[in-house]
Amino acid sequence: MRFEIFTLFPAMFESVLRESILKRARERGLLTVNLHNIRAYATDKHQTTDEPPYGGGGGMVLKVEPIVRAVESVLAGDSAPVILTTPQGERFTQRMAAEFATYPRLAIICGRYEGVDERVRQLVVTHEVSIGDYVLSGGELAAMVMLDAIARHIPNVLGNAESAPNDSFSSGLLEGAHYTRPPEFRGLCVPEVLLSGDHAAVARWRRRSALQRTWQRRPELLLNASLSESERYFLGELADAWSRGES
Ligand code: 6GU
């Protein structure tokens, strides 16, 4: 999969692309990230990329020409999705990450300052996306978050083919508790069942741990999770214990 990223700060991406899963995916040819400096597409001699807003008010607005020139010359008629990062966008989710990963090519325009000229949206943007309800100084960090979350859905990017479907949210639930060695630390013990070698019992325990955590922290996720009869019963028990003040 190929990403075309349009930004005023391409260097911000370097360390993220040079480590861990994204690094390995690029080395294996599964992922290509092309960074395009919007400034290189400015037409005036000062290479201006932003100006004060018409109508006054504070802040600066990213200009339309450099961005449209950059996107059109890089995509050259290709019909890839073009994402604009903006706090006014649709909220980014695991489902969206999986959907975007089905495209061979994806463009992300990193918004900056107080805004982006509205005509950028009208001319080249296909999706406006926000990563959450808070304001970042620029879209670069949001673009990196999306890049990472999307890359995890590209086939063969994750070492263990099982990992992505087990992630929090892919199943509609938060992940439960995890343990590794040692079996006891400062009196805190790993649950016996995880040491038992009984794979079915381990799977049951994990699912229950995920259900319990989701119920405690993000109960609204349970409304859309697909649950078996016995899982619903388990949640009923949690709710009863809670109403008796036991948890
Ligand atoms: Cl995508 N951009 C900016 N600037 N701030 C954000 C955001 C995006 N998502 C949440 N906050």
Side-chain angles (χ1 to χ4, degrees):
M1 181 172 183
R2 194 156 39 130
F3 283 79
E4 311 292 352
I5 298 191
F6 299 88
T7 169
L8 285 171
F9 303 100
M12 284 181 73
F13 289 81
E14 282 166 17
S15 61
V16 166
L17 293 173
R18 269 201 250 110
E19 305 285 350
S20 188
I21 288 180
L22 295 181
K23 173 191 180 184
R24 203 181 58 200
R26 289 170 63 233
E27 286 172 351
R28 293 162 69 208
L30 302 169
L31 171 69
T32 302
V33 182
N34 298 317
L35 297 166
H36 307 283
N37 193 331
I38 294 167
R39 191 170 300 282
Y41 294 85
T43 45
D44 64 310
K45 78 166 189 268
H46 300 294
Q47 295 196 289
T48 311
T49 52
D50 61 331
E51 296 203 58
Y54 277 124
M60 299 291 269
V61 174
L62 287 183
K63 290 168 65 64
V64 60
E65 303 104 304
I67 298 178
V68 168
R69 256 164 55 87
V71 172
E72 287 182 347
S73 76
V74 167
L75 292 188
D78 199 351
S79 69
V82 178
I83 298 173
L84 174 67
T85 63
T86 165
Q88 295 116 56
E90 183 181 350
R91 177 83 65 88
F92 189 64
T93 60
Q94 182 77 346
R95 174 179 308 203
M96 229 192 270
E99 252 163 47
F100 281 132
T102 65
Y103 292 92
R105 197 180 190 194
L106 194 65
I108 305 180
I109 302 169
C110 300
R112 264 273 146 180
Y113 307 114
E114 275 64 33
V116 177
D117 190 300
E118 189 64 19
R119 292 164 292 186
V120 170
R121 296 181 166 85
Q122 295 171 311
L123 290 170
V124 294
V125 171
T126 62
H127 299 75
E128 295 183 43
V129 182
S130 161
I131 62 164
D133 290 343
Y134 38 81
V135 177
L136 301 169
S137 313
E140 283 76 12
L141 289 168
M144 286 184 250
V145 165
M146 292 183 216
L147 174 60
D148 187 283
I150 293 167
R152 298 172 60 79
H153 293 275
I154 300 171
N156 304 316
V157 160
L158 295 183
N160 177 348
E162 311 277 85
S163 295
N166 285 342
D167 277 352
S168 285
F169 299 111
S170 281
S171 67
L173 301 177
L174 301 184
E175 274 197 63
H178 296 281
Y179 294 90
T180 186
R181 290 186 289 185
E184 183 263 315
F185 182 72
R186 295 189 186 171
L188 299 175
C189 292
V190 174
E192 204 69 49
V193 59
L194 297 180
L195 312 174
S196 70
D198 180 343
H199 298 303
V202 168
R204 234 177 359 256
W205 183 90
R206 288 199 172 133
R207 185 80 180 164
R208 286 185 162 215
S209 177
L211 283 167
Q212 183 155 17
R213 190 155 282 188
T214 307
W215 187 75
Q216 285 166 343
R217 301 183 184 183
R218 297 289 305 279
E220 80 282 6
L221 294 177
L222 295 168
L223 295 172
N224 292 316
S226 73
L227 302 175
S228 70
E229 191 70 23
S230 71
E231 288 170 338
R232 290 181 186 283
Y233 184 79
F234 175 65
L235 286 172
E237 290 180 326
L238 286 180
D240 288 345
W242 180 79
S243 64
R244 290 193 304 267
E246 290 167 18
S247 73

